[in-house]
Amino acid sequence: MTFDKEKILHYCNHVSKNTLMETLNIKYTDAGEDFLVATMPVNPSVHQPMGLLHGGASVALAESVGSAASMIYVNSEVSEVRGIEISANHLKAKRDGIVTATAKIVHKGRSIHLWEIRITDENNNLISLCKLTNMVLPKRKSENK
């Protein structure tokens, strides 16, 4: 399979319509054969009551980019991906601007993918460091067909 960055980014952004990714304004911006990048604006819609980026919003960004990255590696005709574990260390507060999540593959097995997701700000300061484990499953037949 030939790697097509623009096709992957278009697909990731397209399937995000009417989902949490659209609600959080997550945009997929870069891709490579072993990474995927997405951005999210930091504003009151993703703040906790103290006016800081909510850790849950950071985790949602991390899981979104890591899960989408796993989809790059599987044949979506026969397989689907499910996140089974995520952990996050929030290292720096953020009040406004943009955060960027970069998912890099740590382990790409047939049934398990492990991703490291680094969330940074505009100055490349590390905001959160996350680890996501995805399971690759046989695709279920749709019950709606």
Side-chain angles (χ1 to χ4, degrees):
M1 175 173 83
T2 305
F3 183 82
D4 186 335
K5 173 180 161 178
E6 295 307 316
K7 184 176 179 181
I8 288 167
L9 293 175
H10 179 266
Y11 173 79
C12 290
N13 285 308
H14 177 74
V15 298
S16 294
K17 291 185 186 332
N18 299 314
T19 67
L20 179 65
M21 286 74 76
E22 183 176 60
T23 300
L24 296 177
N25 202 19
I26 293 170
K27 303 287 185 225
Y28 296 90
T29 60
D30 197 10
E33 293 195 20
D34 65 347
F35 72 92
L36 184 64
V37 178
T39 61
M40 181 179 72
V42 179
N43 55 45
S45 70
V46 296
H47 282 170
Q48 40 93 314
M50 299 291 291
L52 302 170
L53 174 61
H54 193 293
S58 295
V59 171
L61 172 61
E63 186 159 0
S64 297
V65 72
S67 293
S70 275
M71 288 302 299
I72 293 170
Y73 290 115
V74 301
N75 178 346
S76 62
E77 298 291 318
V78 297
S79 299
E80 53 191 27
V81 173
R82 296 288 184 275
I84 60 171
E85 183 178 11
I86 189 162
S87 65
N89 294 98
H90 306 301
L91 305 170
K92 188 170 174 64
K94 182 80 174 148
R95 289 189 183 277
D96 54 28
I98 300 282
V99 288
T100 300
T102 303
K104 291 190 177 181
I105 193 77
V106 174
H107 172 76
K108 181 178 69 169
R110 286 178 291 150
S111 60
I112 296 288
H113 293 172
L114 177 62
W115 293 92
E116 178 187 82
I117 301 109
R118 298 174 67 84
I119 300 175
T120 58
D121 68 8
E122 303 88 342
N123 297 315
N124 207 32
N125 294 310
L126 186 60
I127 304 300
S128 295
L129 180 61
C130 306
K131 181 180 74 170
L132 173 67
T133 305
N134 290 325
M135 180 178 280
V136 180
L137 300 167
K139 191 168 192 172
R140 294 181 186 180
K141 294 187 190 292
S142 174
E143 295 178 16
N144 297 330
K145 290 186 179 179

